[in-house]
Structures are given as structure tokens and as C-alpha cells.
Amino acid sequence: MAVIINDKTKILVQGMTGNQGQFHTGQMLAYGSKIVGGISPGKGGQSVQGVPVYDSVEQAMQAEPADASVIFIPARFVKESALEAMEAGIKTLVIITEHVPLHDALDIMAYAEKKGVQIVGPNTYGLISPGQCKIGIMPNRIFLPGAIGVVARSGTLSYEIVFQLTQAGIGQSSVVGLGGDRVVGLSFIDVLQKFEADPETKGVVLVGEIGGNAEEEAAQYIKSMTKPVVAFLAGKSAPPGKRMGHAGAIIERGKGTFASKVEALTAAGVKVASLPWEVSDLIKAAL
Amino acid sequence: MKLFEYMAKEIFRANGIPVPRGQMFEKPEGVADWVKAVGPVAVKSQILSGGRGKAGGIKFASTPEEGMAKAQELLAMELKGLRVDKILVEEKIVIDQEIYLAITVDGARRKPILIASRAGGMEIEQVPEEQLIKRLIDVSIGLQPYAAREIVRRLGLEGDLAKEAVDVILKLYQIFRTYDAELVEINPLVVSQGRILAADGKMTLDDEASFRFKDVPQVEERTAVEKRAHDLGISYVELDGEIGVMANGAGITMATLDLIQAFGSSPRNFMDAGGGSSTEATAGALKILLSTDPKALLINIFGGITRCDDVARAFVQVKESMGINIPVVIRLVGTNEELGIAILREHGIESFKKIDEAVAKVVALANGEGA
């Protein structure tokens, strides 16, 4: 078992004929993900890595219905692509693209709410259920199937943590990147609820960072969870008012500080690792 | 991108939100004539920072001579570390009541949120939660007049003032959407002798949407170094510590800075150089780091799909062509990491697989130990 995606998930790739689209289509196929079609307007009839390319999501869905779609499209066209996928009936949408305008993200989320679509991202590396399915851009070899759910706001930092778990022999049920933007689809709480309900997941690692109050809200939910949660947070040394790479990683008006997140999580019974390499020992001890 | 008050007010005026009569000046010349035309004025320094009034950045003048003098005074000032090079000279207004009004984005709810309060004129952080009126907005229907009327009712405005306030709220939402704003704020919105006026204006526009508003003047908030990095597509923030840092990914870069601090030194910068391994990109990034004169450099690369030997070769090439003479420590993980580390060591660059070893080493080197 796993959350959100598994070995049966059928996937479309929007922007498949672009550089990123082609490369990561190959990587996802190599991991065993079931990619059933690609979309590039005007390039229908071509194929990438043996996968048929269509002109529209609607056309692709008629050829073979898919459960999920992943977007590798330049930022200014992401909104249209996302709306297209949702109107065509896609229920899980992964938006890899970074630099999506904030108001476009607002429009995408409003439509997703209406259509009952779960969105991962924007500005995410995607998600993976190790050994079953990968939708995203993370390196294939750092994951190990297992019982720990990982949910993170940032990409390479979660690679770091996941790789460490893998090296310690601790496998993962699913790893979900929420995305680094101010407005993203799935939240920590959404994914924590899925991990709590998933019989295969025995514990959760949460990788957060400064800015916003997503970690504080997650802490409220964690109080009601039966499974242990370990956290690592980045940004302890970040000065206020500076945007640390991610649009969402900024301490504004005294909100979103490292201290406030540690305090909220600790109060909810979460063990917060002060150094990244402590995570695997902490989760081992918590199981 | 933050806009200056005068720019926000120009946008307000162009979109039908009433603002006091005012004009922006970069020199004191002309201020006297303007005061002659409008009467008593407020002379307001234009800086991208709050708390301007308390810091002495707003002066009042009732005669042309006084206006000229205050303009000279403010234009020679430095406020909160920022040089004042623009002032807004506005008709002085009678304030009967002050209201707070803003629209921003509630990230957790994924929706715009309107915030209003009868406690206008003060910093919104100081206003107790129970005095704030908050309303989430569904972008698919927008902000409807009934919602604006409800907010105005709760603000306690009646009659013509209520109608004017509803109009301001609806127009503010239009501006928020049209200009891709992260924040539009009027603090205070004043009731002045039976009319409503935006006495201050703040707007922050979304940089990612800048391709949609080419006619809005650009305001540069970045330092010179930050701007150079931005032009290279590198995410960079200037800090004031000792060790120059380059990493790939925002989260891992932040965590690297935290580690440097935990190990007893301090970072000179935040630099997320992305995932590339080209010599050109590496050289550009290193040039920026060296220009800030750090005591040592730490480069933390989680290779992911990138091959570590490619990264190593790029660094060696750049180091040799640039003649770097401060200690450099590299941490490399990912495909072909052993090969990458071997290449670096051959060329005298300290390299590690483990981040803790790399950070300990660079901190020691920066402190002049164990070279």
C-alpha cells in the first residue's frame, strides 16, 4: 500500500516533448511508472520513449483514461494546462513547474476544489511510492520501499533525508513533495491524514521550513494521530524579511519563525531533529 | 516587488479609489509652487519600509517656504538605513476616522483574504485579533458587492460613507487581481469631512507575474550582488557572516546555513544555484561568491540526477581559471560521487560525502584552524 499513487496509477505527461518532459518521462518509465500518454499541442501523433503524444488531454483521455497528470510546462502556461487536465477528468495533478504566478495558483486551486481534484505542487519534485510508481523529477535510486511516510516542502532537502533513511535500511511507503510556493495544493495535514489511514505506513517524517504556518497547523492535527511523527526543519539561521529561495520561505511580520514551528511540533509530541542526520535514529526509536 | 506609496496611489487613482491630491518630487525644486497650489501639506518620505512616521519620515508644512524646507530636510535623510530620494507632497487632510483595509493571500486556505478593522492607522500586527474583520474570497466568483456591504456594516459606516467604502473595497479587489498583487493595503483609509480617502497605500506585486505588467515601473529592492545573481537565474540572499555558501535547492541551502551556524561560524550568503553542472553556470556562481570576500567557501551538492564527476570537473576548471585563493570545501553526493571526490582531491579541493564532515572542515578553515 501507499498513498495517492501506486502501481496501478495511469499517468499523462503534459509538456512531454520538451527537454524536461522527455528526460523525466524516460526516468519515470525506468522506475516502472505507467505512463499512458503525453500532451503537446500540435505534436499529436508523435511518440516519446514509445509513449504516444496527443494534442490535448481530452484526446488522450479518450484513447486511454488516466488517473494522474504531471505538468512540465513553462510557468506562464501552467494555469491553462492545469485547467485543461482538470476539466478532462484528471483527479490527481502534479505541477512540477516553478515560478507559477500566485494568482494563477489561486485560480487553479479554486477550480480543483470545485472538481474534487488533488493537486501536488506547484514547485514540487513530485511524489513517489517506492517500488511502485514515481511521478516527478527525483533521482530514482535514493528510495527504498518500506513503512515510513515522508512529507516535505522542499526538494533536495527531502532527498537528503530520504537517502539517509534508505542508507539506514528504513524504507518509505510514500514520499510527497508539497512544493515551495505560497499557495500549493495538498498541505501537510492532507498528507498526514492519508498516512494515518494507510495500514502500511507505521511512522511519518515531516520536513518543513520557515515561513507561513503550515507546520503549526500540521502540529494541531498531529495531536490526534496514532502514528509517531519526526520532523526536521530548515531555516533556523534565516533573517526575517528575506525570501530564502522558496516563495513561501520568508518570515513576515514576525510570523513563520523557526522557533514557533519547533514549539508547536514539540507540543504535539513530535520529535524535532536538530541536525538532519538525527532523523533516522529518531524515527527508529519512535517506531 | 514592493511599490512606493506614490506608485500605489497612482494605481488607486487610475482605478477610481480617491486619494489626496499629491505629487512626487525627487528634488526640493517645485515643492513651493505645489504647496502654493494645494495649501497645507504632508511631506512624506518614500521608502519601502513601514513605521516611517515614527522614524520622523513624515513632516507637515503650511506655507510654501516651510514646504520647501521640509522637502530639503527629508531628501537629505536616511531612514531605517534607506536613503530618501523621493518624497510625496500631499494636501493635508482632516482625519475624522481611520480604518484599516487590506487584501492579501491566505496560503493555508489557498484563497485571497480581506482584512479590515476600525483600528486603522496603527501597525496591523498591534491590532488585537478580535478587532479584525476577516473574509476569505472565492476567486471563481470574486468579491461580490454583498460581501463588501457586510464588511462595511461591520466597520460601522452608514449612509453615503458606507456606499463610498463599498466602492473602495470592490475596486481594491479589482486592483489586487488585475495587478497580480501579493498585498494591497490602505492604512489608513480615512473618513475626512464626509468623504473617504486612501491616506496611505501599499502594494506588493508578484515577481513571477512581472511579464503581465510591463507598464508598471520597476522598483529594485535587491542589492547589487543580489541583482547580478538574479540575472544569472540564481536565487541569492546577502547575509553578513563569514562563509560563502552554494548549494542546490532552497531547503538544503537553508539547512546548510543552519549547520554552519550550529558548528560555530556564520554564513555570508544564501545561494541556491539550482541543479546544473555546466562550467559556465558554476563560474558565474563562484564569481558572485568571491566578490563578497568570504573567508572560505562551502559547496553542498546533492547530485540527484546530475552526475557528480561532471560537477567536479566543472569546479576544477573554474578554480584553475579563476585562481581562487581561499579554502574551498565541497560536499558531493549522488551518481558517481566517489569519482567526483577523487577528481576534486587531486586538484587540492577538500571534498566529502558527509555533510557534517564538510561543515566541520569549512568552519575550521574559516577560523584559521587545520588548513
Side-chain angles (χ1 to χ4, degrees), chain B residues 115-127:
Chain B
I115 304 168
S117 177
R118 290 192 210 200
M122 54 198 280
E123 299 250 337
I124 195 66
E125 296 77 32
Q126 318 295 330
V127 178

Side-chain angles (χ1 to χ4, degrees), chain B residues 273-292:
Chain B
S277 60
S278 79
T279 46
E280 202 181 322
T282 308
L286 280 174
K287 259 182 213 150
I288 287 168
L289 288 180
L290 292 171
S291 74
T292 65

Side-chain angles (χ1 to χ4, degrees), chain A residues 115-151:
Chain A
K115 300 287 272 187
V117 174
Q118 51 186 352
I119 292 191
V120 181
N123 193 9
T124 175
Y125 56 83
L127 71 167
I128 183 168
S129 295
Q132 301 189 49
C133 178
K134 175 183 105 164
I135 305 182
I137 59 172
M138 50 292 228
N140 287 351
R141 59 183 198 96
I142 63 171
F143 301 91
L144 179 73
I148 298 300
V150 179
V151 57

Side-chain angles (χ1 to χ4, degrees), chain B residues 89-126:
Chain B
V89 184
E90 266 184 352
E91 62 171 322
K92 194 176 169 193
I93 47 175
V94 176
I95 295 175
D96 300 321
Q97 191 187 340
E98 294 183 298
I99 290 162
Y100 177 89
L101 189 61
I103 303 173
T104 185
V105 170
D106 184 333
R109 305 278 90 78
R110 308 172 190 94
K111 288 181 169 69
I113 184 168
L114 185 145
I115 304 168
S117 177
R118 290 192 210 200
M122 54 198 280
E123 299 250 337
I124 195 66
E125 296 77 32
Q126 318 295 330

Side-chain angles (χ1 to χ4, degrees), chain A residues 23-24 27 76 99-104 106-107 109-110 113-114 134 137-142 154-157 159-160 163 182-187 190 209-210 213 217 232-239 242-247 249 252-253 258 274-277, chain B residues 100 104-112 124-125 138-140 176-177 180-183 185 202 206 208-209 211-212 214 223 226 235 237-239 248-255 257-259 261-263 267 270 272 300 302 304-305 331 333-335 337 355-356:
Chain A
F23 178 75
H24 289 292
Q27 292 285 316
R76 63 177 73 182
H99 305 303
V100 172
L102 181 66
H103 283 256
D104 290 1
L106 290 170
D107 290 334
M109 299 311 158
E113 203 178 293
K114 220 146 270 155
K134 175 183 105 164
I137 59 172
M138 50 292 228
N140 287 351
R141 59 183 198 96
I142 63 171
S154 82
T156 42
L157 183 58
Y159 302 169
E160 179 92 38
F163 193 41
R182 277 179 59 170
V183 169
V184 295
L186 289 186
S187 67
D190 297 326
E209 63 192 34
I210 53 155
N213 63 346
E217 294 203 339
F232 177 73
L233 302 170
K236 188 179 185 183
S237 62
K242 292 282 188 181
R243 200 157 284 209
M244 306 302 274
H246 284 152
E252 281 174 308
R253 305 180 168 202
F258 184 85
S274 47
L275 298 165
W277 49 86
Chain B
Y100 177 89
T104 185
V105 170
D106 184 333
R109 305 278 90 78
R110 308 172 190 94
K111 288 181 169 69
I124 195 66
E125 296 77 32
D138 179 348
V139 292
S140 64
F176 172 76
R177 291 287 281 169
D180 280 274
E182 293 175 9
L183 168 76
E185 184 184 84
K202 198 182 270 182
D206 176 16
E208 310 295 14
F211 64 90
R212 285 203 279 251
K214 289 207 164 59
T223 66
E226 285 171 358
S235 178
V237 178
E238 206 167 316
L239 303 170
N248 59 337
I252 210 165
T253 310
M254 271 189 271
L257 306 189
D258 297 347
L259 281 173
Q261 200 177 59
F263 276 67
F270 168 102
D272 170 8
N300 185 11
F302 196 108
I305 289 156
R331 185 270 185 136
V333 180
T335 314
E337 60 195 20
I355 179 66
D356 49 336

Side-chain angles (χ1 to χ4, degrees), chain A residues 103 106-107, chain B residues 17 103-104 112-114 137-144 167-179 184:
Chain A
H103 283 256
L106 290 170
D107 290 334
Chain B
I17 293 179
I103 303 173
T104 185
I113 184 168
L114 185 145
I137 302 165
D138 179 348
V139 292
S140 64
I141 60 169
L143 184 68
Q144 293 290 322
D167 192 50
V168 166
I169 288 173
L170 294 175
K171 282 171 174 161
L172 195 64
Y173 180 72
Q174 285 312 316
I175 292 170
F176 172 76
R177 291 287 281 169
T178 312
Y179 288 83
V184 288

